[in-house]
Amino acid sequence: MTDISSVARLSEPLKFAYWVPNVSGGLVVSTIEQRTGWDFEYNKKLARIAENSGFEYALTQTRYAASYGADKQHEATSFSLALLAATERLKVISAVHPGMWHPGVLAKYIITADHISNGRAAVNIVSGWLKDEFTNFGLEWLEHDERYVRTEEFIKVLRGLWTEQEYSQSGKYYNITDFTLNPAPVDVPGRAHPEIFFGGNSTAAQATAGRVADWYFSNGKDLEGFKENISGVVASAGEVGRAAGRGSGAGLPSRSSSHLPALPSPRFGLNGFVIARDSEKEARDTLREIVEKAHKPAVEGFRAAVQEAGASTTDGKGMWADSSFEDLVQYNDGFKTQLIGTPEQIAERIVEYKKIGVNLFLTGYLHFQEEVGAFGQDVLPIVRELEADLARKNGIELDLSQTPVANVEVAA
């Protein structure tokens, strides 16, 4: 059994998100059947199914060029806005690249999306890993660690403009002078501003997340691998972040404050590809078929493009640095998390991750509409039972008062 980490939040129910399939080809680079569409009508129905199946978040992918089988892509922020307008409770996270956006323009855009959705807009800041998208646009491609320097400044601008009037910031990449954005984001109880997610497996990414992010996202990892990532983020939040006002007792920001308010400790999200079947053998057979039918040229092309990220770091650590061919068939290492088996087995594994500090699972599927609904019906109730039992055994009650529950199936 897994020991309970000091950062585990046993009274807080796990949150669940799904990858928005706004790019063609599904979530695995394989010729196996994927009953998943990348068009808006498919995604609108999927979003409604998800919010009625206990999911709190959806993450829209950012892609500009055809790669690893995704030959068609919808732009992430506009697609997210459309999904927000089509739903009532789902929070939609737009993935964006610093270097392709100015943070002030993005801050204004997200404020507008936040008002349209009554406080449900969020962002995932992706430092960038596909070099050709930048260079072919004529944009500067920074070396690995420098991309995180720019990202940290970018996030600080977002947060400053969302929480302060006449905000100023002087940096290497962004200089803001006495700027106020009105209106401010929607005032949501318990939320300082639109949530800022941030991902990356490298040492530089972990340090940046510890200093400035609300949420740290990781590619798929086994338990020991994600423990290491969490430790890196926690160390940055506790050692370096304290000087910048980071701490678990931090208050909410004020638009009239003269400096950025303290940040609460970051929460942790983990990617996982879900294969839930009636038996473990059926689930494992499905995984085997996915890999056997992998589109080898696309996977190898993806590997060549992305493994530069890990190789270019000073310590050789980074996203995809240790990924095998099989891992890369799911392009965010989703198989590594091993959410594969019966609903009971998957629920048990999910709660083992909660013990080490995971707060949110970002999930992918072969057949999104059917399997997102099935996850809410078959897996999520078991997760809640296991969470409640774990909390009680540790003298705590699981607080489900603000947590959505699966209810009715949504028609098209």
Side-chain angles (χ1 to χ4, degrees), residues 158-165 185 192-193 253-257 260-261:
L158 290 179
R159 188 166 172 247
L161 290 172
W162 284 338
T163 60
E164 290 200 36
Q165 296 179 350
H193 49 65
S254 168
R255 289 274 281 183
S256 62
S257 64
L260 290 182

Side-chain angles (χ1 to χ4, degrees), residues 114-330:
D114 208 43
H115 279 264
I116 289 172
S117 64
N118 195 28
R120 293 183 286 124
V123 291
N124 181 41
I125 308 303
V126 184
S127 295
W129 47 264
L130 192 56
K131 181 178 179 180
D132 286 351
E133 287 192 337
F134 283 77
T135 58
N136 292 349
F137 272 158
L139 299 172
E140 182 180 15
W141 178 249
L142 304 177
E143 64 89 15
H144 181 276
D145 287 6
E146 194 66 20
R147 295 201 293 274
Y148 289 95
V149 173
R150 178 172 64 185
T151 292
E152 187 162 340
E153 287 189 19
F154 190 98
I155 291 174
K156 286 179 178 177
V157 173
L158 290 179
R159 188 166 172 247
L161 290 172
W162 284 338
T163 60
E164 290 200 36
Q165 296 179 350
E166 298 181 356
Y167 179 70
S168 295
Q169 178 177 317
S170 178
K172 185 174 182 180
Y173 293 99
Y174 305 107
N175 291 287
I176 310 297
T177 304
D178 298 334
F179 215 98
T180 300
L181 292 180
N182 278 318
V186 175
D187 184 8
V188 177
R191 187 193 76 164
H193 49 65
E195 291 170 288
I196 298 172
F197 292 76
F198 168 80
N201 287 10
S202 67
T203 301
Q206 292 169 25
T208 301
R211 287 191 290 264
V212 297
D214 299 318
W215 287 88
Y216 170 75
F217 261 150
S218 171
N219 271 4
K221 286 279 187 180
D222 61 19
L223 284 160
E224 289 303 315
F226 199 52
K227 278 184 187 178
E228 182 180 342
N229 283 23
I230 289 174
S231 295
V233 176
V234 169
S236 176
E239 295 169 12
V240 182
R242 220 181 339 261
R246 176 141 236 170
S248 60
L252 297 181
S254 168
R255 289 274 281 183
S256 62
S257 64
S258 59
H259 63 280
L260 290 182
L263 276 169
S265 298
R267 283 170 165 76
F268 298 96
L270 178 63
N271 180 56
F273 193 84
V274 178
I275 306 177
R277 301 293 185 266
D278 291 338
S279 69
E280 182 179 8
K281 181 182 183 303
E282 186 181 355
R284 293 290 169 187
D285 286 347
T286 299
L287 174 60
R288 188 176 303 110
E289 184 182 359
I290 291 170
V291 175
E292 287 175 350
K293 293 182 176 179
H295 189 296
K296 292 183 180 179
V299 176
E300 291 294 354
F302 179 64
R303 172 152 55 178
V306 302
Q307 291 198 326
E308 172 272 338
S312 66
T313 61
T314 55
D315 57 7
K317 296 180 179 180
M319 292 172 74
W320 305 288
D322 60 352
S323 300
S324 68
F325 178 91
E326 177 178 315
D327 295 329
L328 293 172
V329 175
Q330 201 296 298

